[in-house]
Amino acid sequence: MKTSIRFFAGLFLFLSASQGFARQVPAPQQSLSVESIFASDRFATDTFFPTWETEGSSFIRNIPSPTIEGAVDLVAVDPKTNQETVLIPATQLLPPGRDKPLTIAHHQWSADRNLALIFTNTRKVWRRHTRGDYWLMNRTANTLRQIGSDRPSASLMFAKLSPDGKKVGYVSEGDVYVEDVLTADVKKITAKRTPDIINGTSDWVYEEEFDLRDGFRWSPDSQKILFWEFDTSEVGEFTLINNTDSLYPTVKKFKHTKPGQANSAVRLGVVNLNEGTTQWLEVPGDPRENYIPRARWTGDDQVMVQQLNRDQNQNSVRLADTTTGETRELFKDTDAAWVEACDDDIEVNDGKQFVWISERDGWRHIYLVDAMTGEMKRVTSGQFDAFELVRVTGDSVYFIASPDKPTDRYLYRSPLTGGESIRVTPDSFPGTNSYDISPDGTVAFHTYSSFGQPPITDLVELPAHTLVRQIISNDNARQAVNALIPVESMFLRVNVGDGALLDAWLIKPANFDPFRKYPLIVHVYGEPVGTTVTNAWGGNNYLWHRMLAEQGYAVCSIDNRGTNVPRGRDFRKIIYEKIGILPASDQASAVKGIVSHFPWLDASRVGVWGWSGGGSMTLNAMFKYPDLYHTGVSIAPVPDMRYYDSIYQERYMNTPAKNPDGYRNGSPIHFAKHLKGNLLIVHGTGDDNCHYQTIELLINELVKQDRQFSMMAYPNRSHSINEGENTSVHLRKLMTNYFLDHLPAGPR
């Protein structure tokens, strides 16, 4: 089948990332190095994440203290006037007997803004800092005391004030506690039946794949607490071995469900704080064969529950009476492939309706659901995706979409009652635009960037998108980028047959000569949760790719079918039961098309690299298309999908029992015997996500098939391989040198 290339709008080159540099570069031009990217702040960019007040447009942020060096004041800011009101100065954040104020990782407030709950002394639990200490500041009484002071240090998780401001709930060591604000009396409101029980937070796979960490919710009247209970007794135990931190190895064990194996049994309980009783909600079905990824209060005695079946192709939305535990199905969202848990079920019209996101008509659209009947009314319509809900305010809904350019992102607004969707982002901001909109919808922090250009954040008034003032310019980073040796880049579309057009970007080598031939390095991801082809600042990855271009490589990336881009349900879900199969084929067809279209690309020097799912795709590329790809760097891959986790892998591939051919044909380990080129495998031995175990399986297979390869194991590093002094620099030098040594750079 013939493969061809076409450009957006005839010739859609991103000259802002290419010729624009050539016009603006001062002499002398500066070159990139691994150290300048990964061990300096030369290209560092600032970000801005305000904590909005519950209502209106004011926000709270940390401001450097004028009186205590290195400390911060908590300050309320009027965004339109920029007037600041100090709520808690650093001097009031000095715990008794200490000479340094609390550091502030996060803060939350009572409705009257008298009480502030400060999260500090944090610890990472897998991906995020969700464990630490909490301190309660009473502004009226000018008192500061530690919450849960009788619990082990840095053991509290997800502490939050009750709506009436009279109690604080928190999780410690797998149970939920409630502490009285005035008396400091503490009650443990859950109890583990066995050591395998987790209350108020989640097991590993729910946290990783459903992003469920905080596992308890206050009722609106502050009289009850809803909580998740996980029974992990039937779940297999995984072991990580730490050989480096002590004379003898230590182990870390945690429950982890692999595809087709037993999940935790999960149920929801509601504790009546006045009576001390627990009512379990009657959610139907085997609790090990269904999931409860979301639940929220919809009244003092009612909870809305989202229940996914194990196949994850239906989401049953149920209403639960917390006094009796009885539930009824309100509506059900289904798909022949998979459905997602909905995080955008926002109440509107005084709770009579709520917002919902669904792909039921073939596009990701916003719906209104009747809270009593479950009747759905579509808010947005048309053949485009309302890709991300940003804010529901008044009679409008704001969302991110890009009907014409899937590589871009823009803000749109639609009437909540339905009607025409209007683009809010002006044409003068081509690229990727994100918004943090105030609760009243009057102002927003607008961050925008484009390929090769660092982000800028402005404060704008909505809906007119009128500039109030610039918040972050990142001028230093922009100047540093603009001073680099110029390279040209472009966005293009590749026809891979079957009517499929794939988006891609391509960076040309520095000092490009169209009459000579250059090697090509392909950056790949290719799985359903991500994308690599966006018209946005790419940070250190972009800079490293640009450094490769300075070395004499062309670099490209392609979004195959199945990636999470705004191109409709069918484009995204065609990958169902075909991970590692269809993406690898799409990628190979696109690379062939690009190489054949540009005569200055050297078909005998094609490399590929990727991380995580991209690491697996790199293995599939090297093993399945050994005559196309000549050198590969695979970082933290999963060579055999049967060894990943149940929720992710089954969502997109079904179970191994139901889709054995898909698991086999999509897992690169079964094609290792075809390896011809140069392969470097990199993995952290402490990776709790993509386990080092699978690398040892692949090593055995490569040895069995007498295939030579290179390998680097980073002791005790996690999936990000960034722990430890100099690790990131070492890794990127390893990758760079491997390509330089095995895929010669420069023109021929």
Side-chain angles (χ1 to χ4, degrees):
M1 194 168 295
K2 186 177 180 181
T3 302
S4 62
I5 292 179
R6 70 182 182 90
F7 297 95
F8 291 123
L11 191 64
F12 185 50
L13 301 181
F14 262 10
L15 301 183
S16 62
S18 52
Q19 291 183 0
F21 285 136
R23 289 193 299 270
Q24 301 171 19
V25 170
Q29 296 162 356
Q30 299 177 12
S31 60
L32 286 162
S33 67
V34 169
E35 286 87 356
S36 70
I37 300 170
F38 296 96
S40 79
D41 59 0
R42 180 174 163 191
F43 303 97
T45 57
D46 294 325
T47 55
F48 188 72
F49 300 105
T51 300
W52 293 107
E53 297 274 32
T54 306
E55 299 176 349
S57 61
S58 295
F59 63 92
I60 301 172
R61 65 176 302 190
N62 301 348
I63 302 290
S65 169
T67 57
I68 302 180
E69 184 178 357
V72 297
D73 297 340
L74 280 175
V75 177
V77 183
D78 183 316
K80 295 180 182 178
T81 65
N82 208 27
Q83 181 178 350
E84 298 179 352
T85 303
V86 177
L87 301 178
I88 304 177
T91 53
Q92 291 184 333
L93 293 173
L94 278 165
R98 299 190 191 181
D99 57 2
K100 292 184 179 180
L102 297 173
T103 58
I104 304 175
H106 179 68
H107 52 86
Q108 57 181 283
W109 296 77
S110 60
D112 62 4
R113 215 157 66 175
N114 179 52
L115 300 176
L117 194 59
I118 309 297
F119 184 38
T120 187
N121 190 29
T122 67
R123 303 289 189 274
K124 184 182 284 188
V125 179
W126 303 124
R127 306 289 167 265
R128 299 182 188 172
H129 283 255
T130 54
R131 185 165 57 84
D133 295 328
Y134 286 86
W135 291 75
L136 186 67
M137 176 70 201
N138 187 315
R139 297 176 64 214
T140 301
N142 192 22
T143 58
L144 180 69
R145 71 173 181 86
Q146 187 174 2
I147 297 295
S149 58
D150 62 334
R151 303 299 304 155
S153 176
S155 74
L156 270 61
M157 305 176 73
F158 318 118
K160 42 188 172 282
L161 285 157
S162 61
D164 63 9
K166 295 180 179 180
K167 297 180 177 65
V168 178
Y170 54 85
V171 175
S172 179
E173 299 183 311
D175 269 313
V176 183
Y177 295 76
V178 171
E179 183 167 331
D180 190 278
V181 166
L182 292 179
T183 67
D185 290 340
V186 178
K187 291 182 181 179
K188 181 180 176 183
I189 66 167
T190 64
K192 299 179 181 181
R193 293 175 283 109
T194 72
D196 293 314
I197 299 294
I198 304 171
N199 291 313
T201 185
S202 68
D203 66 0
W204 186 95
V205 70
Y206 261 69
E207 174 176 331
E208 178 69 20
E209 305 302 353
F210 287 140
D211 201 27
L212 181 68
R213 292 169 171 82
D214 178 355
F216 79 94
R217 310 282 185 269
W218 280 104
S219 65
D221 63 4
S222 305
Q223 302 304 305
K224 298 177 181 179
I225 283 183
L226 167 76
F227 71 97
W228 274 256
E229 181 201 75
F230 286 77
D231 180 352
T232 68
S233 58
E234 300 299 320
V235 178
E237 191 170 67
F238 197 81
T239 302
L240 296 175
I241 302 175
N242 181 346
N243 287 308
T244 62
D245 288 353
S246 58
L247 187 60
Y248 291 93
T250 58
V251 297
K252 178 189 291 186
K253 296 185 177 182
F254 61 101
K255 297 300 185 79
H256 182 284
T257 303
K258 294 184 181 291
Q261 303 302 304
N263 283 308
S264 295
V266 181
R267 60 177 179 167
L268 295 172
V270 175
V271 178
N272 186 310
L273 298 179
N274 293 324
E275 300 175 1
T277 58
T278 300
Q279 176 66 61
W280 298 100
L281 302 188
E282 298 170 2
V283 181
D286 186 338
R288 296 191 189 279
E289 296 300 314
N290 293 274
Y291 302 112
I292 305 177
R294 302 289 182 268
R296 67 173 177 86
W297 290 94
T298 59
D300 292 338
D301 298 309
Q302 182 173 273
V303 169
M304 191 173 82
V305 179
Q306 295 184 43
Q307 182 193 36
L308 290 170
N309 62 333
R310 180 151 186 169
D311 289 343
Q312 297 179 71
N313 57 16
Q314 63 182 34
N315 187 351
S316 173
V317 180
R318 309 185 68 84
L319 294 180
D321 184 329
T322 62
T323 60
T324 66
E326 295 179 356
T327 68
R328 68 176 178 90
E329 186 174 84
L330 182 64
F331 73 97
K332 185 181 292 183
D333 213 7
T334 63
D335 193 287
W338 70 85
V339 292
E340 307 277 0
C342 182
D343 290 314
D344 300 310
D345 53 330
I346 301 164
E347 290 186 357
V348 296
N349 299 328
D350 298 322
K352 296 184 176 113
Q353 294 174 301
F354 59 89
V355 173
W356 192 262
I357 309 295
S358 177
E359 296 178 331
R360 56 180 53 205
D361 76 341
W363 299 90
R364 189 175 294 166
H365 278 307
I366 300 169
Y367 292 79
L368 281 184
V369 182
D370 188 288
M372 292 297 294
T373 68
E375 180 182 356
M376 300 183 72
K377 177 184 177 182
R378 193 168 57 189
V379 174
T380 60
S381 59
Q383 294 189 341
F384 71 93
D385 289 306
F387 202 60
E388 175 191 346
L389 184 68
V390 180
R391 175 73 78 176
V392 178
T393 177
D395 58 359
S396 298
V397 56
Y398 287 93
F399 58 94
I400 298 295
S402 188
D404 302 318
K405 294 179 182 177
T407 58
D408 292 10
R409 304 289 186 269
Y410 302 106
L411 184 68
Y412 281 73
R413 180 169 66 98
S414 177
L416 196 53
T417 55
E420 182 182 3
S421 297
I422 300 172
R423 177 168 154 170
V424 178
T425 306
D427 292 340
S428 54
F429 298 100
T432 294
N433 298 266
S434 63
Y435 293 80
D436 194 342
I437 300 177
S438 64
D440 65 5
T442 61
V443 295
F445 293 103
H446 167 219
T447 300
Y448 63 96
S449 70
S450 59
F451 194 80
Q453 287 294 292
I456 291 174
T457 299
D458 291 334
L459 178 69
V460 298
E461 288 187 313
L462 296 178
H465 210 283
T466 306
L467 176 66
V468 177
R469 64 180 172 277
Q470 189 169 90
I471 303 298
I472 295 174
S473 68
N474 282 320
D475 282 341
N476 290 340
R478 298 173 74 83
Q479 290 170 9
V481 171
N482 290 337
L484 294 172
I485 294 170
V487 296
E488 294 184 20
S489 58
M490 66 181 73
F491 277 66
L492 55 146
R493 272 194 164 179
V494 188
N495 186 336
V496 295
D498 299 326
L501 299 173
L502 306 184
D503 292 300
W505 54 254
L506 175 66
I507 301 175
K508 291 183 179 181
N511 303 310
F512 174 68
D513 182 346
F515 300 104
R516 304 184 73 180
K517 286 188 174 290
Y518 295 86
L520 174 67
I521 295 177
V522 182
H523 176 220
V524 64
Y525 181 71
E527 296 211 355
V529 296
T531 171
T532 59
V533 184
T534 54
N535 184 9
W537 171 242
N540 287 348
N541 250 2
Y542 164 78
L543 292 167
W544 185 69
H545 288 147
R546 185 159 176 161
M547 189 193 78
L548 293 177
E550 290 181 5
Q551 301 278 354
Y553 293 101
V555 187
C556 83
S557 193
I558 305 146
D559 271 345
N560 51 260
R561 286 174 289 179
T563 49
N564 188 30
V565 294
R567 298 189 61 179
R569 178 257 177 216
D570 291 347
F571 185 92
R572 289 187 291 271
K573 294 185 177 178
I574 192 174
I575 201 174
Y576 184 59
E577 295 190 333
K578 300 174 186 175
I579 286 183
I581 303 169
L582 177 67
S585 174
D586 272 3
Q587 289 281 332
S589 296
V591 171
K592 290 175 185 177
I594 291 172
V595 170
S596 65
H597 182 82
F598 295 106
W600 46 268
L601 288 175
D602 188 346
S604 69
R605 289 184 289 165
V606 177
V608 59
W609 86 275
W611 201 309
S612 191
S616 304
M617 285 288 292
T618 297
L619 295 178
N620 270 316
M622 295 295 296
F623 297 164
K624 293 181 177 181
Y625 303 94
D627 295 323
L628 175 63
Y629 301 96
H630 307 99
T631 298
V633 176
S634 172
I635 304 174
V638 180
D640 190 332
M641 285 186 281
R642 294 177 306 151
Y643 288 79
Y644 197 53
D645 72 61
S646 59
I647 293 178
Y648 180 95
Q649 211 65 64
E650 293 175 14
R651 179 187 302 154
Y652 307 120
M653 288 295 290
N654 213 318
T655 64
K658 294 179 181 177
N659 185 23
D661 291 342
Y663 272 79
R664 177 174 179 80
N665 294 330
S667 296
I669 193 170
H670 301 298
F671 302 88
K673 63 183 178 182
H674 301 304
L675 176 65
K676 292 183 180 179
N678 312 294
L679 175 62
L680 170 64
I681 302 169
V682 181
H683 216 98
T685 67
D687 191 335
D688 62 284
N689 187 7
C690 301
H691 301 151
Y692 182 71
Q693 169 195 35
T694 62
I695 297 303
E696 295 189 339
L697 292 168
L698 178 60
I699 291 170
N700 280 342
E701 183 63 21
L702 288 166
V703 170
K704 174 184 174 182
Q705 300 297 337
D706 196 23
R707 293 296 182 264
Q708 297 297 313
F709 62 97
S710 300
M711 182 189 162
M712 177 65 184
Y714 282 91
N716 209 38
R717 268 67 165 191
S718 69
H719 192 56
S720 57
I721 316 183
N722 61 2
E723 300 86 358
E725 186 177 356
N726 201 51
T727 297
S728 294
V729 169
H730 187 278
L731 171 58
R732 290 294 174 153
K733 281 186 174 180
L734 175 71
M735 297 165 63
T736 303
N737 292 335
Y738 194 81
F739 278 122
L740 289 171
D741 291 344
H742 295 88
L743 194 76
R748 288 179 177 174

